[in-house]
Amino acid sequence: MPIQRLLIANRGEIAVRVARTAREMGIATVAVYSDADADAPHVRACDTAVRIGPAPPAESYLAIDRLIDAARAAGADAVHPGYGFLAENAAFARAVVDAGFVWVGPAPEVIAVMGDKVGARLRMRAAGVPVVPGVETDDAADIAALGFPVLVKAAGGGGGKGMRRVDSLDALAEAIVEARSEAGTAFGDERVYAEKLVERPRHVEVQVLGDIFGTIAHLGERECSIQRRHQKLVEEAPSPALDAPTRARLCAAAVEAARAVAYTGAGTVEFLLDSDGRFYFLEMNTRIQVEHPITELVTGVDLVREQLRIAMGEPLGYTSVEARGHAIECRIVAEDPARGFLPSPGRIARWRAPVGPGVRVDAGVEEGSEVGLYYDPLLAKVIVHGPDRAAASARMARALAELVVLGIDTTAELLRDVVSSEMFAAGDTTTDFLDRFGWVPPDVDAAAYAAAWQAAPVPPVATSAGGRVAEATPWATLGRWR
Amino acid sequence: MGHAREVAVRVQVGIQVYDTASGGPSVASRRADGSVAVRHGETVRTAFVAGDQVWIDGRVRRVRPIAGGVDPAALPTKVTPPMPATVVKVLVGVGESVTVGQKLVTVAAMKMETALRSPRAGVVKAVNVVPGQQVRPGEELVVVEAA
């Protein structure tokens, strides 16, 4: 069934990215926006746009009824959820299907199965996919029998919420109570379970695609170990930590995981890889992943195009794709890494994206954009491709040195130093990388900074009471130049 | 041009302190796109400036005057938090004389405390907050005017 008009139930860079491929495929696009996003890049990237509510996500991007109404009003015949927001919400997928739209994603039942972390563990173990040793209960005696340290985790969702590391029996009872409470708040589901802690693991994941004819393909792995607060900042493909036999077994396990739930669409099977090269199923993300572009660059496959083709009932036509070269993605996030990743909302006074050979930028902002506190702080992704890992690292360092973001603080300079570091070059990328890296902004050529600052136009001084503070951009003071 | 900032000045660049009078060889000129070309011997680099932020080669540093030598009229008069935060302490009162860099207010966000310092020497004209108050960037917490 062809898709004529696609509603993109998301915002920011992923909405822009989905709209681009849809346009290439001749599919009309419908953006949705909250009052905070009326003039956002994703709105202009689509053919038409529908307002769905005020800025708070619960009243806009998370409001299932409003999104369904918007799809009806715009005459859409399909809905792409992007990532985040409702992308892994089985009730939303069900509502989309029940309203007669094509859902660009796996079946609602599959989303529900994989969204239940305990259910997914049991399903994977039954399918012969290795899972982290653990118990699907919050019984203290059973958990203690695993041997410490352990991780107590929420059954209802991920992202580090409801998760507690426990090093001894003394701390276990309290950790279970805390984790249950946090999980209840975050996911409306107090159930917790426990896994034996894998020390200094790597986070490696496999991209899979499944069509409605039962064909499951894998597109190789991505390594996403460099994280802060359990959220990824740097991803690369392939992983520097896998040898060919381990890679083959990992990808085969991911295909088995997808096959076990008759997976359709694009999905990602996440694994922990320990220092001995053993890997364990962590969870499956039933959506397009933030870091999907690195797979696109090494395989040449447009994953959003594949999502849409699969949703239209087309056969995949392959079961694996050969990867070429090396790709790296750096997430440009509105946080200050020099101050513990403090949120840095504000107006983007200057924005200039890097260009040149092998560089792709997926951005949801532009010069003048307001970065608020309502939504995810991800501004853009800088993605590079090179013939090998060293060349890709050098290309990323070059690209990040070209990226101009002023007005707010971002992760760009930290990540430029990460990809230029000996630790990164050595492939020493475990999940505690940033703690060990211990970045502080290096000294600079102060003379050049002072000279530039002195030469720039004087920012207007705010005086009027209650008036809007003038922005200190060169444009605002253009008239004072001569 | 009679530019207020084209006089010798001691500035803080990130955490470094630099005297522009100390013979820095860099010469800068403005370009049509709003950027600044910085010439240092044979090397020319592009800089972008927005407020107190200066970008060169992917590294952004805040440049702030920390001593005299600047046209006082060009200095900001208001003190505003860099991020949404809660006021912890108010350290000055209306009418009090303050020096450049003096702590005026401390704020906390996500368990981190930050001191907001006076951008200029002068007299406290207004204190618009009390401890415990939620504040956002752009809000004038304290106003300091020339004595």
Side-chain angles (χ1 to χ4, degrees):
Chain A
M1 176 170 117
I3 294 172
Q4 312 269 348
R5 187 179 292 268
L6 176 69
L7 180 127
I8 302 167
N10 215 300
R11 65 181 300 281
E13 68 86 18
I14 191 61
V16 175
R17 191 261 167 275
V18 171
R20 283 177 165 149
T21 286
R23 183 159 288 175
E24 289 169 16
M25 296 174 75
I27 298 171
T29 48
V30 181
V32 294
Y33 63 92
S34 74
D35 290 338
D37 283 338
D39 185 37
H42 82 270
V43 171
R44 282 172 280 124
C46 292
D47 297 309
T48 56
V50 181
R51 177 188 176 273
I52 45 169
E59 299 169 56
S60 49
Y61 299 104
L62 290 174
I64 292 177
D65 292 349
R66 295 179 187 210
L67 290 162
I68 300 290
D69 288 347
R72 280 208 190 91
D77 51 13
V79 174
H80 192 301
Y83 56 70
F85 292 125
L86 295 168
E88 291 178 283
N89 185 308
F92 180 53
R94 170 55 59 203
V96 167
V97 172
D98 287 350
F101 303 114
V102 173
W103 167 252
V104 183
E109 299 73 28
V110 172
I111 297 175
V113 165
M114 287 305 187
D116 182 312
K117 303 306 169 192
V118 167
R121 269 176 66 86
L122 296 173
R123 190 74 81 97
M124 290 303 111
R125 196 150 57 196
V129 177
V131 298
V132 183
V135 290
E136 290 76 27
T137 163
D138 61 5
D139 183 273
D142 288 348
I143 294 173
L146 289 171
F148 293 95
V150 298
L151 269 186
V152 177
K153 301 173 80 171
K161 296 196 182 74
M163 191 157 88
R164 287 283 184 287
R165 177 193 168 123
V166 185
D167 289 291
S168 69
L169 186 58
D170 307 339
L172 182 58
E174 192 184 338
I176 292 171
V177 171
E178 286 174 1
R180 285 182 64 90
S181 160
E182 201 173 304
T185 307
F187 309 116
D189 179 353
E190 283 205 347
R191 289 176 304 136
V192 297
Y193 66 106
E195 290 176 352
K196 191 150 173 51
L197 185 79
V198 178
E199 299 268 14
R200 290 191 62 191
R202 289 167 184 269
H203 182 116
V204 181
E205 61 188 28
V206 178
Q207 177 70 54
V208 296
L209 292 169
D211 67 17
I212 62 169
F213 307 101
T215 304
I216 305 280
H218 77 78
L219 280 76
E221 86 282 5
R222 298 182 286 257
E223 170 152 354
C224 318
S225 298
I226 300 180
Q227 311 180 344
R228 54 97 181 71
R229 296 195 299 261
H230 303 287
Q231 290 171 348
K232 303 159 187 170
L233 283 179
V234 181
E235 299 100 342
E236 61 181 309
S239 164
L242 291 183
D243 56 23
T246 310
R247 172 171 296 118
R249 285 189 289 114
L250 184 80
C251 292
V255 168
E256 281 315 305
R259 201 184 305 285
V261 292
Y263 197 84
T264 53
T268 295
V269 188
E270 299 195 334
F271 295 93
L272 286 181
L273 180 72
D274 73 13
S275 47
D276 299 321
R278 284 178 301 226
F279 57 83
Y280 307 98
F281 172 84
L282 198 58
E283 63 180 21
M284 181 165 189
N285 294 318
T286 53
R287 53 169 162 83
I288 193 82
Q289 201 90 336
V290 177
E291 59 272 23
H292 75 275
I294 53 176
T295 298
E296 296 186 322
L297 293 190
V298 293
T299 61
V301 172
D302 179 335
L303 287 168
V304 173
R305 186 183 189 92
E306 297 307 89
Q307 285 189 296
L308 291 166
R309 283 208 312 118
I310 292 164
M312 289 190 276
E314 294 181 21
L316 263 182
Y318 53 86
T319 54
S320 72
V321 178
E322 197 177 341
R324 288 186 60 217
H326 201 94
I328 304 174
E329 172 180 283
C330 284
R331 298 193 191 185
I332 309 304
V333 176
E335 293 178 3
D336 184 358
R339 294 191 295 167
F341 295 99
L342 200 67
S344 181
R347 180 176 172 276
I348 298 179
R350 292 298 304 236
W351 174 268
R352 191 189 69 176
V355 290
V359 177
R360 164 176 167 182
V361 178
D362 283 14
V365 297
E366 60 197 357
E367 199 156 293
S369 291
E370 285 288 343
V371 180
L373 287 167
Y374 283 114
Y375 309 122
D376 191 277
L378 179 68
L379 305 174
K381 309 178 308 203
V382 176
I383 313 121
V384 301
H385 187 220
D388 57 37
R389 188 167 187 269
S393 304
R395 181 160 278 171
M396 178 60 82
R398 186 272 292 175
L400 292 179
E402 286 182 11
L403 171 68
V404 180
V405 191
L406 287 178
I408 58 173
D409 296 306
T410 77
T411 48
E413 188 182 345
L414 160 71
L415 297 182
R416 174 225 183 137
D417 287 343
V418 164
V419 297
S420 308
S421 68
E422 286 177 18
M423 272 172 69
F424 186 80
D428 182 15
T429 52
T430 49
T431 51
D432 59 354
F433 181 96
L434 288 177
D435 292 335
R436 294 187 291 125
F437 191 59
W439 185 75
V440 289
D443 281 355
V444 293
D445 175 8
Y449 283 76
W453 179 78
Q454 281 193 299
V458 177
V461 177
T463 50
S464 62
R468 187 162 178 278
V469 176
E471 297 295 343
T473 69
W475 300 113
T477 55
L478 208 60
R480 297 174 61 181
W481 279 20
R482 291 194 169 81
Chain B
M1 280 188 273
H3 201 280
R5 278 198 269 182
E6 288 166 3
V7 290
V9 58
R10 168 171 287 186
V11 295
Q12 186 174 334
V13 178
I15 58 165
Q16 301 167 257
V17 172
Y18 177 77
D19 282 310
T20 59
S22 66
S26 297
V27 178
S29 58
R30 294 170 202 148
R31 306 194 323 176
D33 69 349
S35 67
V36 175
V38 182
R39 187 179 298 277
H40 191 134
E42 307 244 297
T43 307
V44 181
R45 288 184 288 183
T46 299
F48 288 89
V49 183
D52 63 355
Q53 283 185 316
V54 177
W55 177 102
I56 295 177
D57 289 342
R59 298 196 188 278
V60 178
R61 296 290 178 272
R62 291 181 189 278
V63 178
R64 296 183 172 109
I66 56 170
V70 179
D71 176 359
L75 290 174
T77 59
K78 65 158 196 166
V79 175
T80 188
M83 68 294 200
T86 307
V87 176
V88 179
K89 282 185 201 148
V90 176
L91 304 163
V92 292
V94 172
E96 202 169 312
S97 292
V98 294
T99 57
V100 65
Q102 182 176 336
K103 285 188 193 178
L104 304 179
V105 176
T106 58
V107 297
M110 294 175 79
K111 295 179 186 168
M112 290 185 56
E113 247 182 62
T114 308
L116 304 182
R117 296 168 184 276
S118 181
R120 63 188 302 148
V123 174
V124 176
K125 190 76 189 290
V127 175
N128 301 323
V129 289
V130 294
Q133 191 172 333
Q134 304 283 325
V135 292
R136 301 181 64 86
E139 266 181 59
E140 299 182 18
L141 310 195
V142 177
V143 179
V144 179
E145 290 190 348

